[in-house]
Amino acid sequence: MDAIGFYEDDEGICCDITLESFVDVPVQVVNLETYEIDGKFITDVEYLRNNQREMNSKVNEAISEYIKRKYHSDTVDFKLVKVYAFHDEKSIYGLVFTWDGDSEHGVGVKVDNTDVIKVGPAEVSFT
């Protein structure tokens, strides 16, 4: 794995990685409410990199369905802006997306490995 620059912010220990399947710029990955680099977070970052293609496919489909159902819109131009990992939950990730149709709340997705378990406003990704 490429060298990762870890840093701390108000949500926890973080790093920026590029997940090309989602977006072509680095996105922040946060180990929520944890301020130490541990083996689990490194494993989580590796998992995201190695499984991003499958995760992207499932997440895109789930968000598109959510937007159509909730907003009755076919506008599905959304962009990944942040990923949460959870120190106390194995293989659970929260993804936050911006979406022009709801610029205030965005869209949040919770996944277990690569399977989508919940889609909703951004808060879904970290609760």
Side-chain angles (χ1 to χ4, degrees):
M1 172 162 48
D2 299 334
I4 298 174
F6 293 98
Y7 58 95
E8 188 177 308
D9 80 358
D10 61 336
E11 292 184 296
I13 197 76
C14 308
C15 67
D16 297 330
I17 63 172
T18 302
L19 297 170
E20 300 87 3
S21 291
F22 286 95
V23 65
D24 59 356
V25 296
V27 64
Q28 185 183 50
V29 180
V30 180
N31 195 10
L32 196 60
E33 298 178 357
T34 301
Y35 296 92
E36 297 178 13
I37 301 168
D38 61 11
K40 182 189 177 304
F41 186 49
I42 293 170
T43 300
D44 286 338
V45 170
E46 289 175 1
Y47 182 86
L48 290 165
R49 281 184 166 171
N50 294 335
N51 295 281
Q52 63 179 299
R53 202 165 293 193
E54 180 180 356
M55 187 180 294
N56 182 36
S57 175
K58 293 177 180 181
V59 166
N60 282 342
E61 183 178 327
I63 292 175
S64 296
E65 289 173 8
Y66 168 76
I67 289 171
K68 287 177 185 176
R69 183 180 67 252
K70 174 139 176 94
Y71 297 98
H72 309 288
S73 174
D74 291 327
T75 305
V76 290
D77 188 25
F78 43 87
K79 178 182 171 188
L80 180 66
V81 292
K82 188 178 283 194
V83 178
Y84 290 105
F86 305 92
H87 67 279
D88 57 347
E89 295 185 56
K90 186 177 180 185
S91 306
I92 303 290
Y93 304 97
L95 292 80
V96 180
F97 294 82
T98 59
W99 178 57
D100 291 339
D102 189 351
S103 58
E104 184 177 336
H105 298 105
V107 177
V109 179
K110 187 78 74 95
V111 298
D112 183 348
N113 289 303
T114 61
D115 296 324
V116 174
I117 53 178
K118 191 170 184 181
V119 180
E123 301 83 45
V124 163
S125 65
F126 56 85
T127 57

